[in-house]
């Protein structure tokens, strides 16, 4: 239905409006992508936590799992603020990053700090993908005049940055040295 309206209006649309709707569609598609990614992480992070050895790392991942569930809810609020039904579309990038995480686990020995180093690295790749996505989407929301959506996306962006920082600190303070000594 949406498509039909779009098509029939097209002739009367100014160039700017046409570009707007194209950009709008792009924005919605990207929201579906990160929505899939966050829901995928809710399933994947427990496996990462279970595979980790250092208690601090297990805790960091488990804490971020709870935060991630909040990101799913926030995205639902974003969809709602745009009068859209929350919809997920497979994010190839997140699937790839989490698959890489799984092979890191397979390639390292259980109970080693080396595996923990690998898990931190995999988790940081996840966080950086999210930081890039939320940073870009928050800016795009602003451009499109969706202030509420921009505010929500910015909150999540801050939490992804915090998670990334926490992982860097874990690597810095303990895990890397332990792996280096093992
Ligand atoms: Fe997230
Ligand atoms: Fe993606
Ligand atoms: Zn995250």
């Amino acid at each position: 239905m949406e498509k039909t309206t779009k098509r029939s209006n097209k002739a009367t649309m100014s160039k700017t409006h046409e570009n707007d709707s194209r950009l709008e569609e792009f924005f919605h598609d990207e929201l579906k992508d990160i929505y899939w990614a966050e829901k995928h992480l809710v399933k994947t992070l427990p496996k990462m936590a279970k595979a980790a050895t250092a208690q601090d790392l297990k805790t960091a991942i488990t804490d971020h799992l709870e935060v991630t569930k909040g990101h799913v809810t926030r995205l639902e609020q974003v969809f709602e603020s745009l009068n859209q039904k929350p919809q997920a579309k497979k994010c190839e990038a997140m699937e790839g990053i989490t698959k890489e995480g799984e092979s890191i686990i397979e390639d390292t020995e259980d109970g080693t700090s080396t595996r923990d180093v690998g898990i931190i690295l995999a988790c940081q790749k996840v966080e950086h993908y999210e930081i890039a996505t939320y940073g870009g989407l928050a800016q795009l929301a602003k451009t499109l005049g969706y202030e509420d959506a921009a505010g929500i996306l910015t909150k999540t962006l801050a939490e992804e940055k915090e998670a990334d920082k926490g992982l860097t600190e874990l690597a810095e303070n303990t895990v890397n040295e332990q792996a280096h000594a093992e």
Side-chain angles (χ1 to χ4, degrees), residues 34-120:
I34 190 66
Y35 187 51
W36 187 95
E38 293 283 20
K39 294 212 304 181
H40 184 65
L41 287 172
V42 170
K43 289 185 272 178
T44 311
L45 289 175
K47 294 182 208 164
M48 293 290 202
K50 202 171 160 238
T53 299
Q55 194 49 52
D56 289 3
L57 179 55
K58 276 183 187 287
T59 307
I61 299 169
T62 313
D63 286 353
H64 195 59
L65 170 64
E66 289 316 305
V67 173
T68 299
K69 288 176 187 169
H71 296 172
V72 171
T73 310
R74 280 213 193 104
L75 284 170
E76 286 162 0
Q77 291 165 357
V78 171
F79 281 111
E80 208 177 299
S81 78
L82 303 167
N83 289 317
Q84 299 261 333
K85 245 201 244 130
Q87 233 186 304
K89 190 175 146 237
K90 190 174 175 183
C91 169
E92 303 286 349
M94 192 54 83
E95 187 180 53
I97 296 170
T98 53
K99 268 194 187 152
E100 190 175 294
E102 277 165 28
S103 40
I104 285 174
I105 292 168
E106 278 166 27
D107 296 345
T108 51
E109 245 172 274
D110 189 22
T112 62
S113 296
T114 302
R115 178 180 278 182
D116 282 355
V117 167
I119 290 172
I120 291 177

Side-chain angles (χ1 to χ4, degrees), residues 18-35:
E18 204 178 299
N19 287 344
D20 265 2
S21 73
R22 208 179 290 148
L23 191 58
E24 197 120 353
E25 200 177 311
F26 176 77
F27 179 56
H28 292 156
D29 277 347
E30 289 299 310
L31 285 172
K32 291 175 193 170
D33 177 282
I34 190 66
Y35 187 51

